[in-house]
Amino acid sequence: MDYQIILDELYGNPLHIGKIKAREYLREVFEFHIENTPYWKRRISSTRLDLDELFQGTLEDVFERIFNLGLAVDEEYLRHNWLEFVPTNYQGRIRFYQSSGTTRERAIGHWDRHYLKVLHIYLRQALDKIYGLDEIYNEEHQMRAIAHGPYGWYQDEISELVWSYGGILYFIGMETDGLKKVYAEQGLEAALRILDPLVRYTKRVMENDRINLVRSAPPLMALFEPYRETIETAIISGVGINHEFFEILSRKFENTTLIPLYGYYLFGDLVGIHKGNEFWYYPNYPFTLIFPLKQEGGRYCIVKHGERGRIGIIVARPEVLVIKFEDETAIRTPPEGPFKWDGFGNPQRSMG
């Protein structure tokens, strides 16, 4: 598979990709990895999978069929055998990234450098359409940003995004291993002790530059309260995003546009929409497919709109194919805003 062909023929307008195109693309990815990727060559040959049968019907039919065939990869197996998911003699430029480790033991996944371009196109168009960032930041008004987070894909992604607006970025890396558990069990003060360098350098930057965009996690937004008058945009992801938190934050940051994102090490960030009392997130089709699932009569089925189920994920790219359940539940949401496909809302993750 060739990313440039995908970018030229499929991804000219990422917000208008239909379900039929997504299904056709997914089949191409399956065919490629069955022929070239050690794990899938071994796994599919043992099941004697008929792709013509698998890809009959709607995209939702195919998604359900994939999970009912038992093709989901166990989390622990993926964590310790990530090299089996790299296609043999793959010609792209691959970088391995770690998950943040905030909730559980770190996992490792890989990205082709072109996927950063794909992800950037999706993020940029969605953020401009929903939140109008291109109307706020331009040649006459420069974006001056600060971002907290782990090193890896996150740093690359936020850098490309800020630069695309002609902005400048302060990136302050943080050690996130086990951090959510510390925060949940011991509170913000204990978490901030772990993050002492981040706290000190954040204050130094905020005191010396006029930052107008911040990217951080909910507990760390307290660091920006003394400077709220200058902050025009706050992009937030991680534990603690809910309606109550956003209500409190919107009162403290009255003139700030608040943007929720959902981040994951295998596919990066997904853009969220604050819908009533809920937060709805939309994957970047066709590279990431997500539906909440439930079991009925021993089979998995996609829940109805508004129902809650366990999150099922298919990451389908030339460099990686991963099918897995996430240790998280969410409601299924209908298309909203610029997105032409279903999303998921109010995700709730088990701590582990």
Side-chain angles (χ1 to χ4, degrees):
M1 298 188 74
D2 188 290
Y3 257 109
Q4 197 56 54
I5 294 176
I6 293 171
L7 287 166
D8 292 342
E9 296 183 0
L10 181 65
Y11 218 58
N13 192 337
L15 300 182
H16 289 84
I17 293 173
K19 291 183 179 180
I20 294 176
K21 279 285 188 183
R23 186 191 62 195
E24 292 172 350
Y25 167 82
L26 183 60
R27 174 166 182 154
E28 290 182 24
V29 172
F30 261 73
E31 290 175 342
F32 176 78
H33 285 282
I34 288 171
E35 293 177 1
N36 296 283
T37 302
Y39 177 84
W40 292 113
K41 286 173 70 174
R42 183 177 71 251
R43 183 73 176 83
I44 298 303
S45 64
S46 67
T47 61
R48 297 182 180 178
L49 186 65
D50 184 336
L51 289 182
D52 290 331
E53 182 179 331
L54 176 61
F55 284 91
Q56 287 182 1
T58 67
L59 180 64
E60 288 86 351
D61 292 335
V62 173
F63 192 93
E64 290 178 347
R65 204 171 287 127
I66 287 170
F67 279 88
N68 282 312
L69 284 170
L71 296 180
V73 179
D74 179 75
E75 177 74 28
E76 281 302 304
Y77 188 90
L78 182 62
R79 179 175 282 112
H80 297 290
N81 300 278
W82 65 89
L83 288 176
E84 293 184 19
F85 295 85
V86 181
T88 303
N89 297 321
Y90 185 75
Q91 297 301 306
R93 297 184 180 180
I94 281 179
R95 177 179 291 176
F96 289 96
Y97 292 119
Q98 293 186 90
S99 64
S100 65
T102 52
T103 303
R104 56 198 173 192
E105 183 184 348
R106 292 184 191 272
I108 296 176
H110 58 281
W111 295 24
D112 186 295
R113 68 185 180 100
H114 279 100
Y115 180 62
L116 276 169
K117 180 184 291 186
V118 164
L119 182 60
H120 170 72
I121 294 170
Y122 155 83
L123 287 173
R124 178 65 197 261
Q125 291 198 21
L127 291 172
D128 288 349
K129 288 283 187 181
I130 301 168
Y131 297 103
L133 292 194
D134 57 337
E135 298 176 4
I136 301 173
Y137 303 105
N138 47 51
E139 293 180 357
E140 297 178 356
H141 182 60
Q142 186 181 43
M143 178 186 290
R144 304 185 75 84
I146 186 171
H148 296 149
Y151 292 105
W153 66 264
Y154 174 83
Q155 183 181 16
D156 292 339
E157 177 196 282
I158 191 65
S159 297
E160 291 295 332
L161 187 64
V162 170
W163 294 334
S164 74
Y165 289 98
I168 60 171
L169 172 67
Y170 295 91
F171 182 83
I172 302 180
M174 52 194 285
E175 176 52 61
T176 54
D177 197 45
L179 193 59
K180 287 183 182 177
K181 190 172 184 179
V182 171
Y183 176 65
E185 296 179 355
Q186 302 177 42
L188 179 59
E189 188 173 331
L192 290 178
R193 282 197 295 271
I194 297 174
L195 298 173
D196 179 65
L198 175 142
V199 174
R200 287 187 287 110
Y201 292 128
T202 296
K203 289 181 178 179
R204 182 184 301 178
V205 170
M206 298 304 294
E207 289 169 357
N208 286 276
D209 204 343
R210 193 174 178 84
I211 299 299
N212 54 35
L213 182 145
V214 302
R215 169 75 197 267
S216 194
L220 299 179
M221 287 304 297
L223 297 176
F224 300 107
E225 289 181 23
Y227 315 98
R228 55 192 169 195
E229 295 301 321
T230 65
I231 297 174
E232 300 160 343
T233 308
I235 301 174
I236 309 164
S237 62
V239 66
I241 289 186
N242 54 41
H243 177 70
E244 291 74 22
F245 168 76
F246 259 56
E247 285 291 301
I248 294 171
L249 203 62
S250 63
R251 290 195 291 270
K252 293 179 178 178
F253 293 81
E254 293 182 344
N255 300 313
T256 302
T257 298
L258 304 177
I259 301 175
L261 297 187
Y262 178 97
Y264 193 73
Y265 79 103
L266 282 175
F267 54 71
D269 277 317
L270 307 182
V271 176
I273 298 173
H274 195 180
K275 183 72 172 177
N277 293 336
E278 299 176 339
F279 290 89
W280 296 1
Y281 301 92
Y282 291 86
N284 55 333
Y285 267 37
F287 305 95
T288 305
L289 307 179
I290 296 177
F291 286 101
L293 296 163
K294 65 179 179 181
Q295 279 193 303
E296 287 185 346
R299 293 181 60 80
Y300 292 108
C301 62
I302 296 171
V303 302
K304 297 178 181 178
H305 290 133
E307 289 185 345
R308 180 170 290 274
R310 188 178 181 187
I311 290 178
I313 300 173
I314 299 179
V315 177
R317 307 199 299 265
E319 78 275 22
V320 61
L321 173 64
V322 169
I323 302 157
K324 70 187 296 289
F325 285 106
E326 181 60 5
D327 188 19
E328 197 163 24
T329 65
I331 61 172
R332 181 184 175 190
T333 64
E336 179 67 24
F339 300 107
K340 310 304 180 186
W341 51 86
D342 288 352
F344 62 97
N346 287 14
Q348 297 176 359
R349 174 175 292 184
S350 300
M351 302 292 286

